[in-house]
Amino acid sequence: MAHIDLGIDEKQFPGISGPMQYRPATAKPLNELAEVLLRAPHTLPAGERELIAAYVSGRNECTFCCASHSAFAAAQLDEGMTLVDQVRADLDSAPISAKLRALLRIAGAVQISGRNVTTELVADARAEGASDLEIHDTVLIAAAFCMFNRYVDGLGTFAPEGQDAYAESTRRIVEFGYGSAVAQPAGESAA
């Protein structure tokens, strides 16, 4: 049970969706930020941006955000959950591009502290072909997910266990985006 009464069934609105139902005025800009960072047209594929979110959430030990964004990433990456698991287990040996690895290192530094992002990490990412937009958005995705993770965990919300629990929200996010994220309880269609 969440630390505050959200006025909803947490099993129908798990993780961040419960607090977003509780406070729609703050949900709207948070969903808009997620939509721009994770789905809007960009040079990085949406699956890679979701992977950054999952990686940071895993490092923050946020069960709900890590599981949900791992599922969202897997649905949009050709290698699926196998790749997500490999990146989360061992970034150095995961079969990803050198550019994505360098961006994930930046995201990992942000997760510890923004001050841990060094000119060397940025230079390494640039040397691997990362644009300033990709570096900027990696830092912002990592920073935003530190906030989202703390929002979810700070309110002590319910996190379903097992990847099957995230199947419907994955379908909804991939198909309709983050504007649909709080429109329906888990297991119901937004369409």
Side-chain angles (χ1 to χ4, degrees):
M1 175 178 241
H3 295 310
I4 63 173
D5 181 2
L6 299 173
I8 48 101
D9 178 350
E10 288 185 69
K11 293 206 163 87
Q12 285 194 328
F13 295 98
I16 202 166
S17 61
M20 287 187 166
Q21 288 291 325
Y22 176 78
R23 189 87 162 92
T26 57
K28 185 178 185 300
L30 293 175
N31 278 316
E32 289 170 350
L33 178 61
E35 183 71 19
V36 168
L37 290 176
L38 301 175
R39 294 181 39 86
H42 200 278
T43 57
L44 288 177
E48 291 183 359
R49 290 179 276 159
E50 290 284 2
L51 183 59
I52 294 167
Y55 180 73
V56 169
S57 297
R59 289 174 56 106
N60 281 328
E61 300 177 6
C62 181
T63 302
F64 176 81
C65 292
C66 183
S68 60
H69 290 280
S70 289
F72 304 163
Q76 298 175 85
L77 295 168
D78 291 339
E79 304 85 354
M81 192 58 76
T82 299
L83 181 62
V84 174
D85 290 341
Q86 288 172 318
V87 167
R88 292 198 48 247
D90 185 5
L91 179 59
D92 292 331
S93 69
I96 57 174
S97 70
K99 177 174 94 171
L100 182 55
R101 188 178 334 278
L103 291 171
L104 285 163
R105 284 190 179 117
I106 289 172
V110 170
Q111 180 268 330
I112 297 166
S113 169
R115 292 185 181 115
N116 282 25
V117 178
T118 64
T119 55
E120 291 79 18
L121 285 172
V122 172
D124 289 347
R126 282 188 179 130
E128 297 300 346
S131 68
D132 284 352
L133 174 64
E134 292 165 337
I135 294 166
H136 172 278
D137 285 5
T138 295
V139 169
L140 189 51
I141 291 167
F145 273 84
C146 287
M147 176 190 63
F148 290 140
N149 300 160
R150 284 157 180 80
Y151 183 39
V152 168
D153 289 341
L155 287 172
T157 62
F158 170 73
E161 291 185 29
Q163 283 307 126
D164 290 345
Y166 299 90
E168 180 56 29
S169 60
T170 298
R171 185 201 62 76
R172 193 171 53 246
I173 293 296
V174 170
E175 189 172 342
F176 299 109
Y178 285 93
S180 70
V182 297
Q184 300 292 321
E188 291 186 19
S189 175

